[in-house]
Amino acid sequence: MKNSVQVTILGQQYSVRSTTDPEEVLEVAALVNRRIAEAQQGGGVSSSFSAVVLTLLNVAGELYQLKKSGPVEGDREAEERLRGLLGRMEAACDQVPAAG
């Protein structure tokens, strides 16, 4: 059964529908917020959109490195979940007006 969980990313509320435990969804949202904050604090990021793109690139790079290192128990399920989360993040990015 899918649960609806309210999360806040960059001050914007999102309703996430997922079969994942709601506490885990909240933990993932907190992780995303931390990673975006790290990108913003690292300097060279001119907008929230740029910080989100940089965060997506970093997470995708980590996923790629994990895939290169070989299969891990539960890898397929974790990959599917990460792909779903990345898809939702990308959809959220599509809703943010481009800076300029």
Side-chain angles (χ1 to χ4, degrees):
M1 179 164 101
K2 287 191 176 187
N3 299 306
S4 183
V5 181
Q6 296 296 315
V7 300
T8 303
I9 306 291
L10 285 174
Q12 184 83 22
Q13 284 273 314
Y14 297 95
S15 182
V16 177
R17 290 186 44 84
S18 175
T19 57
T20 304
D21 179 345
E23 285 299 316
E24 189 173 331
V25 173
L26 292 171
E27 288 177 23
V28 169
L31 172 65
V32 168
N33 276 318
R34 282 194 305 274
R35 297 292 295 268
I36 291 171
E38 289 170 6
Q40 290 173 322
Q41 292 171 356
V45 178
S46 60
S47 69
S48 294
F49 180 79
S50 296
V52 170
V53 170
L54 183 58
T55 299
L56 282 169
L57 285 170
N58 288 334
V59 170
E62 290 171 12
L63 175 61
Y64 179 77
Q65 290 300 318
L66 284 172
K67 287 179 74 172
K68 275 181 46 175
S69 65
V72 176
E73 186 175 331
D75 191 42
R76 185 175 307 277
E77 180 183 344
E79 181 177 342
E80 288 173 13
R81 290 170 72 186
L82 279 172
R83 285 184 191 278
L85 290 169
L86 285 170
R88 287 193 287 274
M89 287 177 65
E90 289 169 346
C93 286
D94 290 342
Q95 296 175 5
V96 175

